[in-house]
Amino acid sequence: MSKTKIGWIGLGNMGIPMAEQLIKAEYPVTVYNRSQGKEYKLAEMGARVANSPQVLALETDVIILMVADDKAVEAIFEAEDGLLKTELAGKTIINMSTVSPEIAKRMASRCKERNAHYLDAPVSGSVKQAETGQLVIMVGGEQSAFEGVKPILDQLGKLSKWVGETGAGNQAKLAINSLLALYTQGLAETILFANEKGIETSDLLELIGQAAIGNVYTKIKGDAILNDQYKAAFALKHIVKDLRLAKNEGISTPLAKTALKTFEDAESRYGEEDLVAIFKALR
Ligand code: NAP
């Protein structure tokens, strides 16, 4: 049986390694990115390249978005050469970007009008997990549509879980990313405090790593601070976006409020660097 034709939209830090996983799994993949130049490696691996979302949709059955934010999603759907400008009946659109539950509901309704399915399926994990197909994927939308595309999601993640109706995946993701922001700020503040008291970062990280509070995340981001490496795996501007989305959804707890302010204050200087650059902002 021939494999589902997949369209991949968005070739950023996450989109490229995720699309690679599908090509490696021998799915026929067509890619599109707003700006040109990021598609070369995937084209060398065998991907077809479309010059618009509209063209991409014409030649594929399942269309996956991994783009920055709500504005990008709107552009992909609604532009003159966007997804909505073509026949979508029977296709499934999976939006893996971290965006608002509101835009998920809006785009799901546009898809339904056209007899297409829309799933929100944001991911937890970063570039490393994307490169190894070890993401955690939380899905909202029709459960039967989720079951239909689960084999594809299973190439990208170690867990794909349906969590409820349209927008539920986005809600789960915003909750998780609130914790991510708190962890990151907490780790940065802890290292700064220890340093002030004369404790070396490497010694502190070794202790944290062996203690119950140590985990994969504190290891990766602690090492980034230790090595002074702030190149974006997950850009700081994206956590600001996510904390704002969580605020719009009504999160108002003390730590969430504080984290939003801290990351917002850092955004103009460090927005393009990794979120762990919050360490430099606090220093
Ligand atoms: P990124 O590296 O900043 O890439 C963003 C992608 O969105 C690029 O392909 C960009 O196209 C496209 N884009 C931005 N604005 C657009 C617009 N107005 N119209 C069309 N395309 C547009 O982002 P990323 O790190 O891959 O993250 C993608 C999504 O996954 C975000 O929602 C992020 O919050 C989420 N996420 C990221 C991570 C992570 O660790 N990086 C982890 C989990 C979830 P250009 O190349 O033309 O700029």
Side-chain angles (χ1 to χ4, degrees):
M1 208 172 77
S2 67
K3 279 193 153 182
T4 309
K5 291 186 195 139
I6 299 176
W8 191 280
I9 298 180
L11 301 176
N13 289 328
M14 294 293 282
I16 291 177
M18 290 169 77
E20 272 179 28
Q21 291 300 316
L22 298 179
I23 298 169
K24 284 184 201 155
E26 299 184 348
Y27 281 99
V29 176
T30 302
V31 299
Y32 164 80
N33 195 57
R34 173 181 62 174
S35 55
Q36 288 181 350
K38 295 184 180 175
E39 71 283 6
Y40 293 140
K41 187 176 168 207
L42 297 168
E44 268 174 23
M45 290 173 73
R48 291 165 62 88
V49 180
N51 62 9
S52 73
Q54 184 182 24
V55 169
L56 173 140
L58 274 174
E59 53 184 66
T60 54
D61 307 310
V62 169
I63 299 155
I64 304 181
L65 276 70
M66 192 54 171
V67 292
D69 52 18
D70 283 25
K71 222 171 105 199
V73 173
E74 265 168 5
I76 299 295
F77 274 86
E78 291 172 354
E80 273 309 303
D81 56 1
L83 291 177
L84 296 178
K85 295 293 179 323
T86 189
E87 175 63 52
L88 291 177
K91 300 184 195 268
T92 302
I93 297 174
I94 312 174
N95 190 352
M96 305 191 80
S97 328
T98 306
V99 290
S100 69
E102 188 272 328
I103 199 155
K105 287 178 191 149
R106 194 145 45 95
M107 295 311 159
S109 130
R110 302 267 149 79
C111 288
K112 200 167 180 190
E113 287 159 14
R114 291 162 174 80
N115 292 318
H117 306 286
Y118 177 100
L119 295 169
D120 45 292
V123 307
S124 194
S126 192
V127 173
K128 207 176 162 100
Q129 289 73 29
E131 285 168 350
T132 50
Q134 293 292 300
L135 293 164
V136 171
I137 305 171
M138 49 218 91
V139 184
E142 278 170 58
Q143 198 167 2
S144 57
F146 163 64
E147 297 299 343
V149 297
K150 192 165 180 302
I152 296 171
L153 298 179
D154 286 345
Q155 296 297 330
L156 303 171
K158 61 179 173 186
L159 172 70
S160 333
K161 190 171 170 59
W162 183 81
V163 288
E165 298 307 314
T166 300
N170 299 125
Q171 301 282 15
K173 174 62 182 165
L174 295 181
I176 290 175
N177 269 21
S178 299
L179 181 60
L180 184 73
L182 305 183
Y183 260 7
T184 314
Q185 185 175 338
L187 180 67
E189 290 187 7
T190 300
I191 294 173
L192 285 169
F193 175 60
N195 288 167
E196 257 176 47
K197 299 297 167 194
I199 309 296
E200 293 289 336
T201 303
S202 55
D203 290 341
L204 183 76
L205 289 175
E206 190 182 343
L207 296 168
I208 291 176
Q210 292 300 318
I213 46 167
N215 56 39
V216 177
Y217 189 74
T218 50
K219 166 91 180 105
I220 292 173
K221 297 305 180 190
D223 284 352
I225 292 173
L226 184 65
N227 299 321
D228 217 22
Q229 285 297 328
Y230 299 99
K231 181 173 176 290
F234 181 44
L236 189 142
K237 66 181 178 186
H238 287 325
I239 198 74
V240 174
K241 159 189 67 91
D242 297 348
L243 290 167
R244 284 189 185 131
L245 290 175
K247 185 180 171 204
N248 291 343
E249 290 302 309
I251 195 167
S252 62
T253 46
L255 287 176
K257 277 191 202 161
T258 307
L260 174 56
K261 172 145 186 13
T262 314
F263 281 95
E264 269 183 342
D265 289 349
E267 190 180 9
S268 61
R269 252 186 109 182
Y270 301 110
E272 299 300 327
E273 296 186 55
D274 193 77
L275 84 166
V276 78
I278 199 65
F279 178 79
K280 290 197 282 185
L282 291 166
R283 186 175 55 188

